[in-house]
Amino acid sequence: MIFEVYNRELCVGNIIITGVASSSMVFVGDTETIQLASAFDTPAESLIIGPFVPLQSGVE
Amino acid sequence: MLQRTSCVDNIRIKQVTFASTLQIGDSRIINQFSRAIALQREAELFFGSEVNFSSYRAFTSPIPFEPIYEPVAIIRHNIPPLIKVGNIDIKGVSSSSSLHIGNSGHIHSEARVKHIRQLLPYGHEQDIIELNKLR
């Protein structure tokens, strides 16, 4: 397959972003490959109601 | 061939934290990795290093990345070889994220976060006062 691209004028005025987080990116330019991955875990059992003890006893 | 020039007049950025990058200029390879255990307790009580990353699946389970294989011939015509941006205003860049001005080759980034909340039992909310007395 041959993929032919004509990049004509590219002009941006303002970019306003609050946050770029957890393996994200803002890119001004050209690149060949991008691989971004993010794992976020907060399941129901991560809400612990009980006395404050260390999560794992004996971990140094 | 990658030959466009990126031109940014102003960059305003407040924070770049936790394995993040602010790259001005071309790069070839970017590899970023960050992991965090976000432990939130009803009272300010922390025991230091009390947990291992390996105890949680969020840090151990593999992320299936596809192998990079692109059998495509790309012909680019960059008629004005310029990408023009006036202003960039970002409050924060965090956890394996990046702001890149310029060309790059391969970018690989990974972030893993485990969020845990720990609350006092019902009827024991006043124990925070007792805890504060102990400290």
Side-chain angles (χ1 to χ4, degrees):
Chain A
M1 192 173 98
I2 297 165
F3 182 52
E4 194 166 1
V5 186
Y6 286 84
N7 291 319
R8 292 184 196 278
E9 198 175 353
L10 179 56
C11 189
V12 178
N14 294 298
I15 299 172
I16 301 168
I17 299 168
T18 305
V20 186
S22 298
S23 180
S24 313
M25 71 185 319
V26 180
F27 200 97
V28 183
D30 294 303
T31 184
E32 281 165 42
T33 63
I34 300 177
Q35 288 188 309
L36 305 176
S38 172
F40 184 87
D41 187 24
T42 175
E45 58 269 29
S46 72
L47 177 65
I48 305 160
I49 300 175
F52 289 162
V53 290
L55 291 175
Q56 284 175 329
S57 53
V59 173
E60 289 299 319
Chain B
M1 194 58 209
L2 300 172
Q3 51 192 358
R4 281 199 290 181
T5 304
S6 302
C7 174
V8 180
D9 293 336
N10 295 296
I11 303 171
R12 223 179 133 95
I13 186 159
K14 290 215 190 305
Q15 280 198 326
V16 180
T17 54
F18 303 132
S20 299
T21 50
L22 165 57
Q23 169 77 16
I24 301 169
D26 294 359
S27 67
R28 194 75 210 118
I29 297 166
I30 295 180
N31 254 315
Q32 296 180 122
F33 179 65
S34 106
R35 49 187 186 176
I37 293 174
L39 176 59
Q40 221 178 348
R41 287 201 169 105
E42 198 171 339
E44 261 182 71
L45 182 72
F46 295 97
F47 303 93
S49 55
E50 57 183 280
V51 73
N52 283 327
F53 285 118
S54 55
S55 330
Y56 298 108
R57 261 222 324 246
F59 301 107
T60 54
S61 56
I63 293 170
F65 278 110
E66 286 294 313
I68 299 162
Y69 172 66
E70 293 285 346
V72 182
I74 303 175
I75 304 161
R76 294 183 187 87
H77 302 277
N78 300 317
I79 294 149
L82 188 71
I83 300 169
K84 182 93 186 61
V85 178
N87 300 298
I88 297 178
D89 192 327
I90 298 176
K91 292 230 163 64
V93 178
S94 174
S95 308
S96 295
S97 301
S98 53
L99 167 61
H100 197 292
I101 317 289
N103 300 326
S104 187
H106 305 285
I107 298 159
H108 179 107
S109 167
E110 195 178 316
R112 291 164 182 259
V113 179
K114 173 77 183 178
H115 189 206
I116 300 164
R117 292 150 290 163
Q118 206 171 14
L119 304 181
L120 286 164
Y122 180 72
H124 288 260
E125 291 85 353
Q126 296 303 310
D127 292 2
I128 295 173
I129 299 157
E130 297 299 316
L131 275 168
N132 285 334
K133 278 183 198 160
L134 288 170
R135 284 158 70 203

Coordinates of all heavy atoms in Angstrom, one line a residue, chain B residues 22-89:
Chain B
L22 N 9.1 17.5 29.3 CA 8.9 18.6 28.5 C 10.0 18.7 27.5 O 11.1 19.0 27.9 CB 8.8 19.9 29.3 CG 8.9 21.2 28.6 CD1 7.8 21.4 27.6 CD2 8.8 22.4 29.6
Q23 N 9.8 18.3 26.3 CA 10.8 18.2 25.3 C 10.7 19.3 24.2 O 9.6 19.3 23.6 CB 10.8 16.8 24.6 CG 11.7 16.6 23.4 CD 13.1 16.4 23.7 OE1 13.5 16.2 24.9 NE2 14.0 16.7 22.8
I24 N 11.7 20.1 24.1 CA 11.7 21.1 23.1 C 12.8 20.7 22.1 O 14.0 20.7 22.5 CB 11.9 22.5 23.6 CG1 10.7 22.9 24.6 CG2 11.9 23.6 22.5 CD1 10.9 24.1 25.5
G25 N 12.5 20.4 20.9 CA 13.5 19.9 19.9 C 13.2 18.5 19.6 O 12.3 17.8 20.2
D26 N 13.9 18.0 18.6 CA 13.6 16.6 18.1 C 14.1 15.6 19.0 O 15.1 15.8 19.8 CB 14.3 16.4 16.7 CG 13.7 17.3 15.7 OD1 12.7 18.1 16.0 OD2 14.1 17.3 14.5
S27 N 13.5 14.4 19.0 CA 14.0 13.3 19.8 C 13.8 12.0 18.9 O 13.2 12.0 17.9 CB 13.2 13.2 21.1 OG 11.8 12.8 20.8
R28 N 14.5 11.0 19.4 CA 14.4 9.7 18.6 C 13.5 8.7 19.3 O 12.6 8.1 18.8 CB 15.9 9.2 18.5 CG 16.0 8.1 17.4 CD 16.0 8.7 16.0 NE 15.4 7.6 15.1 CZ 14.3 7.8 14.4 NH1 13.6 8.9 14.5 NH2 13.9 6.8 13.7
I29 N 13.8 8.4 20.6 CA 13.1 7.4 21.4 C 12.7 8.1 22.7 O 13.6 8.6 23.4 CB 13.9 6.1 21.6 CG1 14.2 5.4 20.2 CG2 13.1 5.2 22.5 CD1 15.2 4.4 20.3
I30 N 11.5 7.9 23.1 CA 11.0 8.3 24.5 C 10.4 7.1 25.1 O 9.5 6.5 24.6 CB 10.0 9.5 24.4 CG1 10.7 10.7 23.8 CG2 9.5 9.8 25.8 CD1 9.8 11.9 23.7
N31 N 10.9 6.8 26.3 CA 10.4 5.7 27.1 C 10.0 6.2 28.5 O 10.9 6.7 29.2 CB 11.4 4.6 27.3 CG 11.2 3.4 26.4 OD1 10.0 2.9 26.4 ND2 12.2 2.9 25.8
Q32 N 8.8 6.1 28.9 CA 8.4 6.6 30.2 C 7.6 5.6 31.0 O 6.8 4.8 30.4 CB 7.5 7.9 30.0 CG 8.2 9.0 29.3 CD 7.3 10.2 29.2 OE1 7.6 11.3 29.7 NE2 6.2 10.0 28.5
F33 N 7.9 5.5 32.3 CA 7.2 4.5 33.1 C 7.0 5.1 34.5 O 7.9 5.7 35.1 CB 8.0 3.2 33.2 CG 7.4 2.2 34.1 CD1 6.2 1.6 33.7 CD2 8.0 1.8 35.3 CE1 5.6 0.6 34.5 CE2 7.4 0.8 36.1 CZ 6.2 0.3 35.7
S34 N 5.8 5.0 35.0 CA 5.5 5.5 36.4 C 4.4 4.7 37.0 O 3.5 4.2 36.4 CB 5.1 7.0 36.3 OG 3.8 7.2 36.6
R35 N 4.6 4.4 38.3 CA 3.5 3.7 39.1 C 3.4 4.4 40.4 O 4.3 4.9 41.0 CB 3.9 2.2 39.2 CG 5.3 2.0 39.7 CD 5.6 0.5 39.6 NE 6.9 0.2 40.3 CZ 7.4 -0.9 40.5 NH1 6.8 -2.0 40.1 NH2 8.6 -1.0 41.1
A36 N 2.1 4.3 40.9 CA 1.8 5.0 42.1 C 0.7 4.3 42.9 O -0.2 3.7 42.3 CB 1.3 6.4 41.8
I37 N 0.8 4.3 44.2 CA -0.2 3.8 45.1 C -0.8 5.0 45.8 O 0.0 5.7 46.5 CB 0.3 2.8 46.1 CG1 0.7 1.5 45.4 CG2 -0.8 2.4 47.1 CD1 1.4 0.4 46.3
A38 N -2.0 5.4 45.5 CA -2.6 6.6 46.0 C -3.4 6.2 47.2 O -4.6 5.7 47.1 CB -3.4 7.3 45.0
L39 N -2.9 6.3 48.4 CA -3.6 5.8 49.6 C -4.1 7.1 50.4 O -3.4 8.0 50.7 CB -2.6 5.0 50.5 CG -3.1 4.6 51.9 CD1 -4.3 3.7 51.7 CD2 -2.0 3.8 52.5
Q40 N -5.4 7.0 50.6 CA -6.1 8.1 51.2 C -6.8 7.7 52.5 O -7.6 6.7 52.4 CB -7.2 8.6 50.2 CG -7.4 10.0 50.1 CD -8.4 10.4 49.0 OE1 -8.9 9.5 48.3 NE2 -8.8 11.6 49.0
R41 N -6.4 8.3 53.6 CA -7.1 7.9 54.9 C -7.9 9.0 55.4 O -7.5 10.2 55.2 CB -6.0 7.4 55.9 CG -5.4 6.1 55.6 CD -4.7 5.5 56.8 NE -4.4 4.1 56.5 CZ -3.1 3.7 56.3 NH1 -2.1 4.5 56.3 NH2 -2.9 2.4 56.0
E42 N -8.9 8.7 56.2 CA -9.8 9.7 56.7 C -9.0 10.6 57.7 O -9.3 11.8 57.8 CB -11.0 9.0 57.5 CG -12.1 10.0 57.7 CD -13.3 9.2 58.3 OE1 -13.5 8.0 58.1 OE2 -14.2 9.9 58.9
A43 N -8.0 10.0 58.4 CA -7.1 10.8 59.2 C -5.7 10.8 58.6 O -5.4 9.8 57.9 CB -7.1 10.3 60.6
E44 N -4.9 11.8 58.9 CA -3.6 11.8 58.4 C -2.7 10.9 59.2 O -2.1 11.2 60.2 CB -3.0 13.2 58.6 CG -3.1 14.1 57.4 CD -2.5 15.4 57.6 OE1 -1.3 15.5 57.8 OE2 -3.3 16.4 57.7
L45 N -2.7 9.6 58.8 CA -1.9 8.6 59.5 C -1.3 7.7 58.4 O -2.0 7.0 57.7 CB -2.8 7.8 60.4 CG -2.1 6.8 61.3 CD1 -1.2 7.4 62.3 CD2 -3.1 5.8 61.9
F46 N 0.1 7.8 58.3 CA 0.7 6.9 57.3 C 1.9 6.2 58.0 O 2.5 6.8 58.9 CB 1.2 7.8 56.1 CG 0.0 8.3 55.4 CD1 -0.5 9.6 55.6 CD2 -0.7 7.5 54.5 CE1 -1.6 10.1 54.9 CE2 -1.8 8.0 53.8 CZ -2.3 9.3 54.0
F47 N 2.2 5.0 57.6 CA 3.2 4.2 58.2 C 4.5 4.1 57.4 O 5.3 3.2 57.7 CB 2.6 2.8 58.5 CG 1.3 2.8 59.3 CD1 0.1 2.8 58.7 CD2 1.4 2.8 60.7 CE1 -1.1 2.9 59.4 CE2 0.2 2.8 61.4 CZ -1.0 2.8 60.8
G48 N 4.7 4.9 56.5 CA 5.9 4.8 55.6 C 5.7 3.7 54.6 O 4.7 3.6 54.0
S49 N 6.8 2.9 54.4 CA 6.7 1.9 53.3 C 5.9 0.7 53.9 O 6.5 -0.2 54.5 CB 8.1 1.5 52.9 OG 8.8 1.1 54.0
E50 N 4.6 0.7 53.6 CA 3.8 -0.4 54.2 C 3.3 -1.3 53.1 O 2.5 -2.3 53.5 CB 2.6 0.3 55.0 CG 1.8 1.2 54.1 CD 0.7 1.8 55.0 OE1 -0.3 1.2 55.2 OE2 0.8 3.0 55.4
V51 N 3.6 -1.1 51.9 CA 3.0 -2.0 50.9 C 3.9 -2.1 49.7 O 4.8 -1.3 49.4 CB 1.6 -1.4 50.4 CG1 1.8 -0.1 49.6 CG2 0.8 -2.4 49.7
N52 N 3.8 -3.3 49.0 CA 4.6 -3.6 47.8 C 3.8 -3.4 46.6 O 2.6 -3.8 46.6 CB 5.2 -5.0 47.9 CG 6.3 -5.2 48.8 OD1 7.1 -4.3 49.0 ND2 6.4 -6.3 49.5
F53 N 4.4 -2.9 45.5 CA 3.7 -2.8 44.2 C 3.2 -4.2 43.8 O 2.1 -4.3 43.2 CB 4.6 -2.2 43.2 CG 4.8 -0.7 43.3 CD1 6.1 -0.2 43.5 CD2 3.7 0.2 43.2 CE1 6.3 1.2 43.7 CE2 3.9 1.5 43.4 CZ 5.2 2.1 43.6
S54 N 4.1 -5.2 44.0 CA 3.8 -6.5 43.4 C 2.5 -7.2 44.1 O 2.0 -8.2 43.5 CB 5.0 -7.4 43.6 OG 5.3 -7.4 45.0
S55 N 2.0 -6.6 45.2 CA 0.8 -7.2 45.8 C -0.5 -6.9 45.0 O -1.5 -7.5 45.2 CB 0.6 -6.6 47.2 OG 1.7 -6.3 47.8
Y56 N -0.4 -5.9 44.0 CA -1.6 -5.5 43.3 C -1.5 -5.9 41.9 O -0.5 -5.7 41.2 CB -1.9 -4.0 43.5 CG -2.1 -3.6 44.9 CD1 -1.1 -2.9 45.7 CD2 -3.3 -4.0 45.6 CE1 -1.3 -2.6 47.0 CE2 -3.5 -3.7 46.9 CZ -2.5 -3.0 47.6 OH -2.7 -2.7 48.9
R57 N -2.7 -6.3 41.4 CA -2.7 -6.8 40.0 C -2.5 -5.6 39.0 O -2.0 -5.8 37.9 CB -4.0 -7.4 39.7 CG -4.0 -8.9 39.7 CD -4.8 -9.5 38.6 NE -6.0 -8.7 38.3 CZ -7.2 -9.2 38.5 NH1 -7.4 -10.4 39.0 NH2 -8.3 -8.4 38.3
A58 N -2.9 -4.4 39.4 CA -2.8 -3.2 38.6 C -1.3 -3.0 38.2 O -1.0 -2.4 37.1 CB -3.3 -2.0 39.3
F59 N -0.4 -3.5 39.0 CA 1.1 -3.3 38.7 C 1.7 -4.5 38.0 O 2.8 -4.4 37.4 CB 1.8 -2.9 39.9 CG 1.3 -1.7 40.6 CD1 0.6 -1.8 41.8 CD2 1.6 -0.5 40.1 CE1 0.1 -0.7 42.4 CE2 1.1 0.7 40.7 CZ 0.4 0.6 41.9
T60 N 1.1 -5.6 38.2 CA 1.7 -6.9 37.6 C 1.1 -7.4 36.3 O 1.8 -8.0 35.5 CB 1.6 -8.0 38.7 OG1 0.2 -8.2 39.0 CG2 2.4 -7.7 39.9
S61 N -0.2 -7.1 36.1 CA -0.8 -7.6 34.9 C -0.1 -7.0 33.6 O 0.0 -5.8 33.6 CB -2.3 -7.4 34.9 OG -2.6 -6.0 35.0
P62 N 0.2 -7.8 32.6 CA 0.9 -7.2 31.5 C -0.1 -6.4 30.6 O -1.3 -6.7 30.5 CB 1.4 -8.5 30.7 CG 0.5 -9.6 31.2 CD 0.0 -9.2 32.5
I63 N 0.5 -5.4 29.9 CA -0.3 -4.6 29.0 C 0.0 -5.1 27.6 O 1.2 -5.1 27.2 CB 0.0 -3.1 29.2 CG1 -0.5 -2.6 30.5 CG2 -0.7 -2.3 28.0 CD1 -0.1 -1.3 30.9
P64 N -1.0 -5.6 26.8 CA -0.6 -6.2 25.5 C -0.4 -5.1 24.5 O -1.4 -4.6 23.9 CB -1.9 -7.1 25.2 CG -3.0 -6.5 26.0 CD -2.4 -5.7 27.2
F65 N 0.8 -4.8 24.2 CA 1.2 -3.9 23.1 C 1.3 -4.7 21.8 O 1.9 -5.8 21.8 CB 2.5 -3.2 23.4 CG 2.4 -2.0 24.4 CD1 2.9 -2.1 25.6 CD2 1.7 -0.9 23.9 CE1 2.8 -1.0 26.5 CE2 1.6 0.2 24.8 CZ 2.1 0.1 26.1
E66 N 0.8 -4.1 20.8 CA 0.9 -4.7 19.5 C 2.3 -4.5 19.0 O 2.9 -3.4 19.2 CB -0.1 -4.1 18.5 CG -1.5 -4.6 18.7 CD -1.7 -6.0 18.4 OE1 -1.3 -6.5 17.3 OE2 -2.4 -6.7 19.2
P67 N 3.0 -5.5 18.4 CA 4.3 -5.2 17.8 C 4.1 -4.2 16.6 O 3.1 -4.2 15.9 CB 4.7 -6.6 17.3 CG 3.5 -7.4 17.2 CD 2.5 -6.9 18.2
I68 N 5.2 -3.3 16.5 CA 5.1 -2.3 15.5 C 5.5 -2.9 14.2 O 6.6 -3.3 13.9 CB 6.0 -1.1 15.9 CG1 5.5 -0.5 17.2 CG2 6.0 0.0 14.8 CD1 6.6 0.4 17.9
Y69 N 4.5 -3.0 13.3 CA 4.7 -3.5 12.0 C 3.8 -2.7 11.0 O 2.6 -2.9 11.1 CB 4.4 -5.0 12.0 CG 4.4 -5.6 10.6 CD1 5.6 -5.7 9.9 CD2 3.3 -6.1 10.0 CE1 5.7 -6.3 8.6 CE2 3.3 -6.7 8.8 CZ 4.5 -6.8 8.0 OH 4.5 -7.3 6.8
E70 N 4.4 -1.9 10.2 CA 3.6 -1.0 9.3 C 4.1 -1.2 7.9 O 5.0 -0.5 7.4 CB 3.7 0.4 9.7 CG 3.1 0.8 11.1 CD 1.6 0.9 11.0 OE1 1.0 0.9 9.9 OE2 1.0 0.9 12.1
P71 N 3.5 -2.2 7.2 CA 4.0 -2.4 5.8 C 3.3 -1.4 4.8 O 2.7 -1.8 3.8 CB 3.6 -3.8 5.5 CG 2.4 -4.0 6.4 CD 2.5 -3.1 7.5
V72 N 3.5 -0.1 5.1 CA 2.8 0.9 4.3 C 3.9 1.9 3.9 O 4.7 2.4 4.7 CB 1.8 1.7 5.1 CG1 1.1 2.8 4.3 CG2 0.7 0.8 5.7
A73 N 4.0 2.2 2.6 CA 4.9 3.2 2.1 C 4.2 4.6 2.2 O 3.2 4.8 1.5 CB 5.3 2.9 0.7
I74 N 4.8 5.5 3.0 CA 4.2 6.8 3.1 C 5.0 7.8 2.4 O 6.2 7.9 2.6 CB 4.0 7.2 4.6 CG1 3.3 6.1 5.4 CG2 3.4 8.5 4.8 CD1 3.2 6.3 6.9
I75 N 4.3 8.6 1.5 CA 4.9 9.7 0.8 C 4.3 11.0 1.4 O 3.1 11.2 1.3 CB 4.7 9.6 -0.7 CG1 5.2 8.2 -1.2 CG2 5.4 10.7 -1.4 CD1 4.6 7.8 -2.6
R76 N 5.2 11.8 2.0 CA 4.7 13.0 2.6 C 5.1 14.2 1.7 O 6.3 14.2 1.3 CB 5.2 13.2 4.0 CG 4.7 12.2 5.0 CD 5.3 12.5 6.3 NE 5.0 11.5 7.3 CZ 5.7 10.4 7.5 NH1 6.8 10.2 6.8 NH2 5.4 9.5 8.4
H77 N 4.2 15.1 1.5 CA 4.5 16.4 0.9 C 4.2 17.5 1.9 O 3.1 17.8 2.2 CB 3.7 16.6 -0.4 CG 3.8 15.5 -1.4 ND1 4.9 15.4 -2.3 CD2 3.1 14.4 -1.6 CE1 4.7 14.3 -3.0 NE2 3.7 13.7 -2.6
N78 N 5.3 18.0 2.5 CA 5.1 19.1 3.5 C 5.3 20.4 2.8 O 6.3 21.0 2.6 CB 6.1 19.0 4.6 CG 6.0 17.6 5.3 OD1 4.9 17.2 5.6 ND2 7.1 17.0 5.6
I79 N 4.1 21.0 2.3 CA 4.2 22.1 1.4 C 4.7 23.4 2.1 O 5.8 23.8 1.7 CB 2.9 22.3 0.6 CG1 2.7 21.1 -0.3 CG2 2.9 23.5 -0.2 CD1 1.3 20.6 -0.5
P80 N 4.1 23.9 3.1 CA 4.9 24.8 4.0 C 5.5 23.9 5.1 O 4.7 23.4 5.9 CB 3.9 25.8 4.5 CG 2.6 25.3 4.2 CD 2.7 24.0 3.6
P81 N 6.8 23.7 5.2 CA 7.3 22.7 6.2 C 7.3 23.3 7.6 O 8.4 23.4 8.2 CB 8.7 22.4 5.7 CG 9.1 23.6 4.9 CD 7.9 24.3 4.4
L82 N 6.2 23.7 8.1 CA 6.1 24.5 9.3 C 4.8 24.1 10.0 O 3.7 24.1 9.4 CB 6.2 26.0 9.1 CG 6.3 26.9 10.2 CD1 7.7 26.8 10.9 CD2 6.1 28.3 9.8
I83 N 4.8 23.9 11.4 CA 3.6 23.8 12.2 C 3.7 24.9 13.1 O 4.7 25.1 13.9 CB 3.6 22.4 13.0 CG1 3.6 21.2 12.0 CG2 2.4 22.4 13.9 CD1 3.8 19.9 12.7
K84 N 2.7 25.8 13.1 CA 2.8 27.0 13.8 C 1.8 27.0 14.9 O 0.6 26.7 14.7 CB 2.5 28.2 12.8 CG 2.5 29.6 13.3 CD 3.9 30.2 13.2 CE 3.9 31.5 13.8 NZ 3.7 31.5 15.3
V85 N 2.2 27.3 16.2 CA 1.3 27.4 17.3 C 1.6 28.7 18.0 O 2.8 29.0 18.2 CB 1.4 26.2 18.3 CG1 0.5 26.3 19.5 CG2 1.1 24.9 17.6
G86 N 0.5 29.4 18.4 CA 0.7 30.7 19.1 C 1.1 30.5 20.5 O 2.2 30.6 21.0
N87 N 0.1 30.1 21.4 CA 0.3 29.9 22.8 C -0.1 28.6 23.3 O -1.1 28.0 22.8 CB -0.5 31.0 23.6 CG -0.1 32.4 23.2 OD1 1.0 32.8 23.4 ND2 -1.0 33.1 22.7
I88 N 0.7 28.0 24.2 CA 0.3 26.8 24.9 C 0.3 27.1 26.4 O 1.2 27.6 26.9 CB 1.3 25.6 24.6 CG1 1.3 25.3 23.1 CG2 0.9 24.4 25.4 CD1 2.3 24.2 22.7
D89 N -0.9 26.8 27.0 CA -1.0 27.1 28.4 C -1.5 25.8 29.1 O -2.6 25.3 28.8 CB -2.1 28.2 28.6 CG -2.1 28.7 30.0 OD1 -1.8 27.9 30.9 OD2 -2.3 29.9 30.2

